Amino acid sequence: MDAPTMDAPKKVSFYTLGCKLNYSETSTIGRLFSQAGYQITEFHEGADIYVINTCSVTENADKKCRKVVREALKASPDAYVAVIGCFAQLKPVEISGIPGVDLVLGAAEKFRLLDHIGDVVKKPKARILNSEVTEASNFIASWSAGDRTRSFLKVQDGCDYTCSFCTIPLARGRSRSDTIENIVRSAESIAASGVREIVLTGVNIGDFGKGQSGGRRQETHFYDLVKALDKVEGIDRFRISSIEPNLLSDEIIEFVASSKRFVPHFHIPLQSGTDKILSLMRRRYRTDLYANRVSRIKSLMPHCCIGVDVIVGFPGESREDFLETYKFINELDVSYLHVFTYSERDNTHALSLPGTVEPAERAERSRMLHILSEKKRRHFYGQHLGSMAPVLFEGDCKDGRMHGFTPNYIKVRAKYDPLLVNELKVVKLVEIADSGEVEITEPEEVLIHEQQ
């Protein structure tokens, strides 16, 4: 289609629901619009076109999508609204029925959004372009831009696993990867933009290496990728977003322990602390392997931050099963939890399992694990008080304060100073504030002290 004339560029705004992977893809689609002459605007500023990138993992995906559409039309009543992403792949007809939606694109079509929006004039009925997920068979490179501090770099997409609660394979298709050469080039481009940290993202990044159109054969592996990226100049930190415990090998752990660029931070999905529920979930490991991975990490990197995903209220999870999970996590040397309350998903095996947990009980179990997560986080932070650590400061400012993170993901706060944005400074971790973040010495004081 023709690009809008430069004397009157159309405005487009993006909104992303869900994971880091979605953010990387939204940003890439946004760059395509910019290159075609569109003006990117903030959501609340009003736009001619709104693009909503949806997620199927978060609860109430339909409710959230409807709310974002309403807010978009409140800002610009005549705006053209396109909905893309995982939920758009799974529930296209449902989304097309949301008042104000003009276009729904599935997984195979979303990166061709510019070709499909047409004259961006609202029509009485939404148009659906939604192929079978098998059509989403090629890897499309993506990374996020706009945040001066970090970029989310997609290295893998799709999943060949069949976890009984998950719709991601139905929404994103088979496991497939970029080449190491392409990823290194992308990382070099990100470094040239001034970004200091790259977060590696994907659906199942430990499964990296199955090629740009998928397939069972792996020419390379995730270990080969991290070794190649470790040599990229200009990036101070590489962070691994999430990796399955059965794919987190000793060689990956040992490499991170010796690397100067890959930070000591792992996020490792657990989902349940009982082998009974792991089996019902069709997970590819058991609790003994998970405990072994945590132990191996901590033996080499005692200061390493370890995050954990866990699902509560899965069908068949008795109160005793939950308490076993609670005990298992409580005894693990981990740093924080991401707690998900199980919610039913169409076309998943879990729907056929007996032993439904009542919503009130699911909520109570979630509350208990959120409290445990906060205790774990404060304990982990407390272990590092009094020590010196390099912090990469971000550009946010709230109530005169800014934030940053240590390599091992301790969140600190300091008095806002624009000169600190996207800078690495060594600071002393002093105390845990009521907000949960760590108070530090002022960076300038530490630098003066070091020079002396």
Side-chain angles (χ1 to χ4, degrees):
M1 65 172 284
D2 294 333
T5 59
M6 292 309 294
D7 58 338
K10 287 192 177 296
K11 297 178 180 180
V12 58
S13 182
F14 295 86
Y15 192 91
T16 304
L17 293 162
C19 62
K20 297 177 178 69
L21 182 57
N22 270 7
Y23 279 95
S24 74
E25 293 180 340
T26 298
S27 189
T28 295
I29 294 169
R31 286 194 293 275
L32 296 176
F33 272 82
S34 292
Q35 291 162 9
Y38 289 81
Q39 179 183 342
I40 309 297
T41 67
E42 295 294 328
F43 191 93
H44 65 277
E45 293 175 350
D48 301 298
I49 305 164
Y50 279 93
V51 180
I52 303 169
N53 194 357
T54 60
C55 174
S56 66
V57 174
T58 47
E59 292 186 64
N60 304 315
D62 173 62
K63 183 178 179 181
K64 291 180 180 180
C65 184
R66 287 177 183 273
K67 184 172 183 180
V68 176
V69 172
R70 283 199 304 270
E71 293 301 317
L73 295 177
K74 193 180 295 183
S76 298
D78 298 322
Y80 186 91
V81 179
V83 181
I84 64 174
C86 292
F87 195 58
Q89 175 66 33
L90 295 173
K91 299 281 187 178
V93 175
E94 191 172 317
I95 291 176
S96 70
I98 298 175
V101 171
D102 299 287
L103 179 64
V104 182
L105 296 185
E109 292 82 17
K110 62 187 175 186
F111 284 100
R112 297 197 297 273
L113 175 57
L114 271 171
D115 299 327
H116 296 309
I117 58 176
D119 56 10
V120 299
V121 174
K122 297 188 77 65
K123 305 293 192 299
K125 186 177 180 181
R127 188 160 55 112
I128 300 173
L129 294 169
N130 182 276
S131 306
E132 292 294 324
V133 74
T134 52
E135 296 297 314
S137 57
N138 294 319
F139 183 89
I140 298 177
S142 302
W143 68 85
S144 67
D147 184 334
R148 290 171 58 190
T149 306
R150 69 170 59 82
S151 175
F152 302 123
L153 173 59
K154 182 172 82 169
V155 301
Q156 184 272 341
D157 200 354
C159 188
D160 293 340
Y161 285 11
T162 56
C163 299
S164 61
F165 55 82
C166 187
T167 58
I168 290 178
L170 303 175
R172 284 189 169 270
R174 70 198 301 184
S175 178
R176 54 202 187 274
S177 315
D178 206 348
T179 65
I180 291 177
E181 293 75 21
N182 283 347
I183 294 170
V184 167
R185 279 195 292 270
S186 295
E188 290 171 344
S189 296
I190 293 168
S193 73
V195 169
R196 310 290 292 270
E197 177 177 313
I198 288 178
V199 183
L200 304 182
T201 68
V203 175
N204 187 359
I205 61 175
D207 202 32
F208 174 86
K210 286 189 174 176
Q212 295 187 309
S213 59
R216 291 184 177 276
R217 186 175 180 181
Q218 287 181 268
E219 298 292 341
T220 57
H221 295 83
F222 189 63
Y223 176 57
D224 301 312
L225 175 63
V226 298
K227 285 193 298 182
L229 287 174
D230 200 54
K231 299 174 184 177
V232 174
E233 298 291 337
I235 297 297
D236 295 283
R237 296 177 175 179
F238 284 98
R239 200 176 295 274
I240 299 170
S241 62
S242 180
I243 185 167
E244 293 286 303
N246 52 298
L247 298 175
L248 180 54
S249 64
D250 279 342
E251 59 185 2
I252 294 172
I253 295 171
E254 291 163 6
F255 185 83
V256 170
S258 63
S259 170
K260 291 184 179 179
R261 287 195 170 94
F262 276 83
V263 296
H265 176 203
F266 291 97
H267 193 91
I268 315 171
L270 170 63
Q271 312 306 11
S272 176
T274 74
D275 289 346
K276 165 193 163 184
I277 300 300
L278 288 175
S279 178
L280 291 174
M281 289 178 167
R282 295 179 172 175
R283 301 292 286 167
R284 299 194 178 194
Y285 55 87
R286 294 298 178 260
T287 52
D288 58 346
L289 184 144
Y290 194 96
N292 176 274
R293 297 295 79 198
V294 171
S295 176
R296 182 61 179 157
I297 291 168
K298 285 294 186 175
S299 70
L300 294 176
M301 294 170 278
H303 58 300
C304 186
C305 179
I306 301 177
V308 181
D309 286 343
V310 60
I311 297 172
V312 296
F314 188 79
E317 183 188 63
S318 66
R319 184 70 176 175
E320 291 72 23
D321 294 327
F322 169 72
L323 292 176
E324 186 177 335
T325 289
Y326 186 100
K327 181 175 183 290
F328 179 74
I329 296 173
N330 189 43
E331 293 175 353
L332 281 176
D333 192 1
V334 295
S335 313
Y336 65 90
L337 312 178
H338 282 173
V339 183
F340 298 89
T341 301
Y342 171 76
S343 59
E344 288 74 7
R345 296 284 191 269
D346 290 343
N347 302 311
T348 58
H349 175 70
L351 281 179
S352 65
L353 296 176
T356 300
V357 179
E358 291 299 316
E361 180 63 21
R362 299 184 202 184
E364 172 61 14
R365 295 176 189 182
S366 175
R367 186 188 70 83
M368 290 176 65
L369 285 185
H370 275 99
I371 293 172
L372 178 60
S373 177
E374 187 56 29
K375 289 179 179 177
K376 288 281 188 184
R377 189 189 303 272
R378 291 184 74 89
H379 176 71
F380 178 68
Y381 283 8
Q383 290 176 315
H384 295 82
L385 295 182
S387 64
M388 309 295 289
V391 170
L392 179 57
F393 286 93
E394 303 187 358
D396 62 323
C397 179
K398 184 177 181 182
D399 300 325
R401 311 288 283 180
M402 67 192 306
H403 298 87
F405 287 91
T406 64
N408 59 342
Y409 211 55
I410 294 174
K411 187 177 184 180
V412 309
R413 69 177 192 174
K415 181 180 177 182
Y416 181 77
D417 181 348
L419 293 178
L420 288 179
V421 176
N422 201 34
E423 293 293 329
L424 271 168
K425 300 292 184 183
V426 176
V427 302
K428 185 176 183 180
L429 308 181
V430 178
E431 63 179 355
I432 302 174
D434 292 340
S435 61
E437 299 129 335
V438 173
E439 296 280 6
I440 61 174
T441 54
E442 293 301 320
E444 296 85 355
E445 296 177 12
V446 174
L447 291 176
I448 293 170
H449 176 73
E450 289 177 335
Q451 289 168 359
Q452 293 172 345

